[in-house]
Amino acid sequence: MVCLDPGPGFRYTFPMMKFYEYSKCSTCRNAKKFLDRNSVKYQAIPIVERPPTRAELKRMLGHLGDFKKLFNTSGELYRELKISDRLKAGMTESEALELLSRNGKLIKRPFLLFDKGGTVGFKEDVWKKLPL
């Protein structure tokens, strides 16, 4: 393996934290206030108009473990599409990721992805422990 020294003055910057939100969601607004209060830099992305990519969902799955945790189970669209029944019938991870990548309202929010991890939902005591 070869490691090249980029030289003096070079500074590596990590990709900015991605904060997927739904503007009408009070939980998202509370999470955003938490990030702002703690001077955390992030890129706010509207989850409905620009849902996370399949690759981002897969990356989040690495932090959550179970793809079922990615779903917004209290959402109207979740009920309309009978996702619970589809999961019980054996929906695969691949099918779930494809569906989620096309339907931001199906994703549990807020959806926070950063270089050292990721999480969905907002509980302040949990977020205080994140390596932000």
Side-chain angles (χ1 to χ4, degrees):
M1 176 187 275
V2 176
C3 181
L4 299 175
D5 179 2
F10 178 82
R11 199 171 140 212
Y12 181 79
T13 56
F14 291 99
M16 185 169 286
M17 179 178 303
K18 290 186 175 185
F19 177 74
Y20 285 90
E21 64 175 333
Y22 181 55
S23 63
K24 296 177 183 175
C25 170
S26 62
T27 305
C28 291
R29 288 193 301 268
N30 289 335
K32 198 172 197 176
K33 286 177 189 173
F34 173 86
L35 293 173
D36 292 341
R37 198 171 50 245
N38 289 283
S39 302
V40 176
K41 292 183 180 177
Y42 58 90
Q43 176 187 8
I45 303 167
I47 199 165
V48 175
E49 294 83 2
R50 292 182 33 218
T53 65
R54 200 177 158 96
E56 289 171 328
L57 290 162
K58 185 82 172 163
R59 198 170 135 214
M60 181 66 81
L61 192 53
H63 303 296
L64 300 179
D66 183 359
F67 71 86
K68 294 173 189 165
K69 292 180 182 178
L70 292 169
F71 282 99
N72 173 16
T73 58
S74 61
E76 190 177 315
L77 188 58
Y78 182 88
R79 289 188 301 277
E80 283 177 16
L81 296 177
K82 299 183 182 188
I83 301 297
S84 180
D85 294 340
R86 292 168 71 179
L87 289 167
K88 289 175 190 168
M91 178 186 281
T92 67
E93 178 181 302
S94 180
E95 291 169 333
L97 294 178
E98 182 60 31
L99 184 62
L100 290 163
S101 70
R102 290 184 283 115
N103 298 284
K105 283 195 173 181
L106 288 175
I107 301 170
K108 186 169 178 80
R109 55 189 185 257
F111 182 101
L112 182 70
L113 196 58
F114 51 100
D115 64 323
K116 297 176 188 163
T119 192
V120 294
F122 176 69
K123 291 189 177 163
E124 188 165 342
D125 57 325
V126 173
W127 279 41
K128 284 180 180 177
K129 297 174 187 171
L130 294 174
L132 304 174

